[in-house]
Amino acid sequence: MRVGLLTGGGDCPGLNAVIRAVVRKGIEAHGWETVGFRNGWQGPIEGLLKPIGLDDVEDILTRGGTILGSSRTNPYKIDGGVDRIKQNLAEHGVDALIAIGGEDTLGVAKRLTDDGIGVVGVPKTIDNDLGATDYTFGFDTAVHIATEAIDRLRTTAESHHRALVVEVMGRHAGWIALHSGLAGGANVILVPERQFSVEQVVEWVKRRFEREYAPIIVVAEGALPEGGEEKLLTGEKDSFGHVRLGGIGTWLAEEIAARTGKESRAVVLGHTQRGGTPTAYDRVLATRFGLHAVDAVQAGDFGVMVALRGTDIVRVKLAEATAELKTVPLERYQEAEVFFG
C-alpha cells in the first residue's frame, strides 16, 4: 500500500510528530510506502510529492512547523481541482490519504471522501475549536507560549505602572485566551463568544490601579465590544472565506488610556504562538493520533477523524468532526470572572 500525507491550514507544533508516527508505523508494522504531498491540498492538485522514509523522520519529533509545508488551498475553489487530485493519486499509485489539519482541511477531506477518495483525518489547530475531540495538538503549546509571554509582560507592566493588553489568536473560539489568561493570572479575559463592555473593562482596570498593581488584559483576536465590529488587518479573504483579524488589542489599549488617563500598551503575540518546539503533551498526543490514523487506513475505515475522548483515541466521522466549532461555554467563562479586576 502507498499512503500519502499532507498538512493543511496554519502550521503548529506537533505536525512533524504526526508525520513521524505515521511513517514509522506504516513502514515498520505494515510495509507501506509513504509519500508526502507538499503545501497542503496544493500538493495532490499539482502532483507535488516526495517519498518519506525512516531517515527523513529520524530527528523531526521536536521540530515545530511541518517538513511538508502548508497552505490554505481549497480544491473546491479551483476549476477541476478534485479531478486533478484523483488523476494525480492514480498516476502516483497513492491508495489513501492522511490529512492533518483543522476545520478547513478536514472539511475538504470530508467532501473528498464523499467524492470517492479514501481519506483519514487528524485534528490539528492551536485554537482547540474542532468538534468531536476533547483536545487538538498544538493548543497546549500555544497556551504555554502565551502564558510565558504574560508572565514576562507582567514584570515590565508593574515596573512602569501601565496597563498591558495582550492579543492572542482565536477567531471564533477563545480557548487560548481563557487558558493562558487563567494560567497567567490576567485581570481581564475577553473571548469571541461573549461581547464585552468597554466600560466594564475600564472599571476592572481602574480597580487594579487603585490597588497599586498594573492590570493585564488578555483578548482574543476575534473578541467584540458591545455593538462593535471585528477588527480586520485586511478585507481580503482566503480560499475558505476567512478574513485576517487583528487590531482589537491596539484599539482596546487606546480606549483604556483615553478613559483612565493611564499609560497603556498592546502586545500582539501573533504567529509566535504557532512556532517553536511542541510541549511534551502535544508530542505525545500528536504521536498517538498518527499511530491511530495508520490503524484506520489499514482497516479501510475512511471518512473518519481520530479524536481524543477522555484519555482514549477513538474514530469519529469527518461529518461529525466538522459539523460545528467547539467554542467556550458561558459557564466556563463565568468561572474565570471572579479573578477579573
Side-chain angles (χ1 to χ4, degrees):
M1 178 177 275
R2 199 174 205 210
V3 177
L5 298 89
L6 62 86
T7 54
D11 69 298
C12 80
L15 286 166
N16 288 323
V18 179
I19 295 169
R20 172 178 175 269
V22 170
V23 171
R24 286 186 66 94
K25 186 168 185 176
I27 292 174
E28 295 187 340
H30 303 297
W32 290 357
E33 288 184 62
T34 50
V35 297
F37 284 99
R38 297 283 300 169
N39 305 330
W41 292 114
Q42 180 185 355
I45 291 174
E46 300 182 10
L48 307 175
L49 78 163
K50 63 176 183 179
I52 308 179
L54 295 176
D55 289 343
D56 298 305
V57 300
E58 180 63 31
D59 61 350
I60 67 172
L61 176 64
T62 62
R63 289 170 56 183
T66 165
I67 62 170
L68 296 179
S70 189
S71 74
R72 298 189 185 277
T73 303
N74 184 349
Y76 288 92
K77 294 293 185 180
I78 298 174
D79 288 341
V82 176
D83 290 336
R84 289 163 65 183
I85 289 177
K86 291 180 177 179
Q87 179 180 342
N88 281 318
L89 293 181
E91 182 177 324
H92 294 284
V94 177
D95 303 295
L97 284 176
I98 294 177
I100 312 163
E103 60 165 323
D104 296 326
T105 301
L106 298 183
V108 169
K110 191 269 180 189
R111 294 183 66 179
L112 289 175
T113 299
D114 294 341
D115 287 332
I117 297 174
V119 187
V120 169
V122 176
K124 171 275 324 175
T125 167
I126 65 170
D127 291 328
N128 198 40
D129 59 359
L130 264 177
T133 185
D134 290 348
Y135 285 98
T136 55
F137 70 87
F139 172 67
D140 186 69
T141 304
V143 169
H144 274 257
I145 291 169
T147 301
E148 182 180 6
I150 294 167
D151 290 345
R152 292 176 180 274
L153 291 168
R154 181 177 299 283
T155 59
T156 187
E158 296 289 356
S159 297
H160 293 277
H161 314 292
R162 61 170 60 127
L164 270 175
V165 181
V166 184
E167 182 181 313
V168 299
M169 286 186 170
R171 175 185 299 274
H172 301 299
W175 293 108
I176 294 177
L178 180 65
H179 281 238
S180 65
L182 281 171
N187 308 109
V188 182
I189 301 171
L190 306 173
V191 298
E193 291 86 347
R194 187 176 186 184
Q195 292 191 0
F196 64 89
S197 162
V198 179
E199 289 75 16
Q200 178 63 77
V201 172
V202 169
E203 182 60 33
W204 282 322
V205 168
K206 286 180 177 178
R207 189 188 311 169
R208 185 71 174 168
F209 275 125
E210 288 169 358
R211 296 173 58 198
E212 299 186 352
Y213 291 103
I216 299 291
I217 301 95
V218 176
V219 56
E221 62 185 349
L224 287 172
E226 292 176 350
E229 296 180 348
E230 291 176 322
K231 303 299 178 182
L232 308 180
L233 285 178
T234 173
E236 296 180 2
K237 296 182 179 181
D238 64 21
S239 61
F240 292 96
H242 302 311
V243 292
R244 290 180 60 194
L245 298 181
I248 185 65
T250 300
W251 177 85
L252 183 58
E254 292 172 352
E255 287 291 316
I256 290 172
R259 298 183 188 218
T260 65
K262 299 287 189 179
E263 192 175 5
S264 182
R265 294 286 189 272
V267 177
V268 181
L269 297 186
H271 286 77
T272 301
Q273 297 156 88
R274 291 191 181 280
T277 187
T279 61
Y281 180 87
D282 276 341
R283 296 182 202 184
V284 172
L285 180 59
T287 297
R288 293 184 70 200
F289 278 157
L291 297 176
H292 282 263
V294 170
D295 293 341
V297 171
Q298 184 66 19
D301 191 6
F302 300 117
V304 300
M305 179 189 83
V306 291
L308 180 68
R309 295 280 178 85
T311 58
D312 297 327
I313 306 295
V314 300
R315 300 175 199 166
V316 298
K317 293 295 184 183
L318 282 169
E320 177 186 351
T322 58
E324 60 181 356
L325 292 179
K326 181 178 65 183
T327 55
V328 176
L330 179 59
E331 58 270 20
R332 285 289 300 275
Y333 184 76
Q334 289 174 327
E335 287 176 356
E337 287 186 314
V338 68
F339 298 107
F340 293 1

